[in-house]
Amino acid sequence: MAGKTKVMKPDASSISRGASLIKKGEVVAFPTETVYGLGANALDANAVRKIFLLKGRPADNPIIVHVSSIAMLQKIAKVDARALTLAKKCWPGPLTIIFEKKGIMPANVTCGLPTVAVRMPANKAALALIRESGVPIAAPSANISGRPSPTSAMHVLEDFDGKIPLILDGGHTKIGVESTVLSLAGTPRILRLGGFSYEKLKKLIPNLEIAGHPKKIGGPALSPGTKYRHYAPSVPLMLVEKKEFGTFASKLKAGERRVLFFGPNFPKKTIAQLAGQFEYFLYFKDGENAARRLFDELRDSEKKYDRIYFCEIEERGAGRAVMERVRRAAGK
Ligand code: AMP
Ligand code: MG
């Protein structure tokens, strides 16, 4: 696309503009409750190809398809009774479920896999856009591959100004990390931690497991996207593990502009001792707060500091998804 990128608040006229772009095979960025999506008609292989090109997304990383109704889900996927009950209970919401796909789905959305990942987003503008387009919308996060995901329209503009015709600006996203990806084939397994917490999902699915990292377990990646380095800011992100809280400061280099991200588990008296060593301290009051702000603060901090130090937070609730992102961004 050549020309200017329009940034519009979602209302009847901008949604209708977005829907007609989608129907024409163009790409539109829109807000969801997790992060911003870069959307195209999931049934149009050419439109989907544009998403891969724009993002520089590896060709073996399938895209989540967004629907606005169960009827729309059933057009693209084979849905058994158990998955249907779960979808009805959890949607709209930050839970992506893997289904066996139907023939109507172009091969490039799923990168040739026999399955398709689907969710119904809990965001009015997103739902209205899908409904009015009349087609399921394939949408990965609206960032250049590898960069921190976008949680505001400004982040999308940073990566795609002049490259897409429209960004629907729904303000800062509510959850801030991507959806949880769930497989129901065999033992129910979380393939990617995300906005729907493990604890909450475990209450609905008692035998739920979390898939190990592909590198750790040595096998092929169950969810292809999880094998890539991801979410990384343009300056080094250093993960400070809990066991290093008391000692890491003695190893800091001189003449470096640094910011420290920390949560309630970080000892307060250590903060006082670090006062001269960091230019800025950034406090997350819990996992949910860290999830909401993580990508935004990474994008902001890469402009201001030489290095970002992230002190491990508790791995519960949204804190699990946050720590998974931080490890990957730190190259762990
Ligand atoms: P993103 O769109 O960047 O938020 O990433 C989508 C995630 O869902 C990636 O980790 C993909 O590998 C995963 N995913 C998408 N489709 C499938 C599928 N059919 N089977 C397993 N994982 C999938
Ligand atoms: Mg992404």
Side-chain angles (χ1 to χ4, degrees):
M1 176 213 116
K4 246 181 113 68
T5 299
K6 274 208 156 60
V7 181
M8 301 172 86
K9 297 276 171 212
D11 59 22
S13 104
S14 62
I15 297 275
S16 141
R17 181 192 283 258
S20 63
L21 286 164
I22 295 281
K23 283 189 266 192
K24 276 196 294 196
E26 296 295 334
V27 173
V28 172
F30 62 97
T32 78
E33 80 279 35
T34 58
V35 302
Y36 275 71
L38 193 64
N41 179 354
L43 304 180
D44 177 344
N46 277 325
V48 170
R49 212 174 60 100
K50 289 181 187 170
I51 297 178
F52 281 97
L53 292 174
L54 280 162
K55 280 185 61 94
R57 186 176 177 93
D60 64 349
N61 191 3
I63 300 177
I64 295 171
V65 177
H66 296 70
V67 298
S68 57
S69 68
I70 295 289
M72 195 180 259
L73 163 70
Q74 283 165 326
K75 277 191 190 139
I76 59 172
K78 294 177 192 158
V79 186
D80 66 22
R82 183 170 65 142
L84 184 64
T85 307
L86 188 71
K88 283 184 176 163
K89 229 179 245 171
C90 302
W91 288 358
L95 179 70
T96 296
I97 304 173
I98 311 288
F99 299 92
E100 202 183 318
K101 74 170 190 176
K102 284 190 175 166
I104 189 175
M105 289 299 303
N108 63 351
V109 178
T110 65
C111 300
L113 291 175
T115 53
V116 59
V118 187
R119 85 175 186 106
M120 189 190 294
N123 177 287
K124 269 191 190 163
L127 289 172
L129 180 70
I130 304 164
R131 213 177 290 125
E132 195 158 329
S133 303
V135 291
I137 295 185
S141 50
N143 55 296
I144 301 286
S145 270
R147 296 267 301 140
S149 295
T151 54
S152 75
M154 191 46 69
H155 299 159
V156 182
L157 202 61
E158 269 175 21
D159 287 8
F160 296 111
D161 193 14
K163 302 199 170 104
I164 56 174
L166 176 65
I167 301 170
L168 292 172
D169 179 1
H172 198 287
T173 62
K174 216 168 92 189
I175 293 177
V177 291
E178 299 81 352
S179 61
T180 299
V181 178
L182 173 71
S183 163
L184 293 171
T187 305
R189 261 196 286 197
I190 289 181
L191 303 183
R192 176 181 74 183
L193 291 159
F196 201 106
S197 79
Y198 164 74
E199 290 83 355
K200 201 171 146 195
L201 199 52
K202 181 97 177 156
K203 284 197 182 125
L204 301 172
I205 310 173
N207 61 338
L208 179 68
E209 288 179 0
I210 303 176
H213 190 278
K215 271 200 191 125
K216 245 189 231 158
I217 58 177
L222 290 165
S223 193
T226 55
K227 71 175 185 266
Y228 292 105
R229 179 150 187 248
H230 240 139
Y231 319 113
S234 59
V235 300
L237 173 68
M238 316 304 292
L239 171 60
V240 183
E241 287 174 23
K242 207 166 164 189
K243 58 175 193 271
E244 305 164 316
F245 281 0
T247 56
F248 82 102
S250 63
K251 295 170 205 147
L252 296 172
K253 278 196 225 114
E256 190 182 66
R257 287 169 307 158
R258 288 184 281 263
V259 57
L260 188 79
F261 291 17
F262 68 103
N265 61 339
F266 193 77
K268 277 207 188 68
K269 66 173 199 290
T270 310
I271 294 289
Q273 291 159 8
L274 295 175
Q277 308 233 54
F278 287 85
E279 285 196 16
Y280 201 69
F281 293 89
L282 217 143
Y283 176 66
F284 298 126
K285 77 173 199 300
D286 54 27
E288 284 62 38
N289 182 249
R292 196 169 307 126
R293 292 166 52 207
L294 177 70
F295 292 133
D296 195 12
E297 300 290 9
L298 289 179
R299 281 181 181 256
D300 188 51
S301 292
E302 71 181 12
K303 299 186 185 91
K304 298 177 180 162
Y305 309 106
D306 302 318
R307 248 168 224 260
I308 301 167
Y309 286 77
F310 189 104
C311 301
E312 181 178 354
I313 62 167
E314 297 287 352
E315 296 209 39
R316 90 179 108 77
R320 282 179 199 271
V322 168
M323 284 311 302
E324 189 268 342
R325 273 47 171 191
V326 169
R327 287 204 180 90
R328 300 260 300 281
K332 299 267 171 194

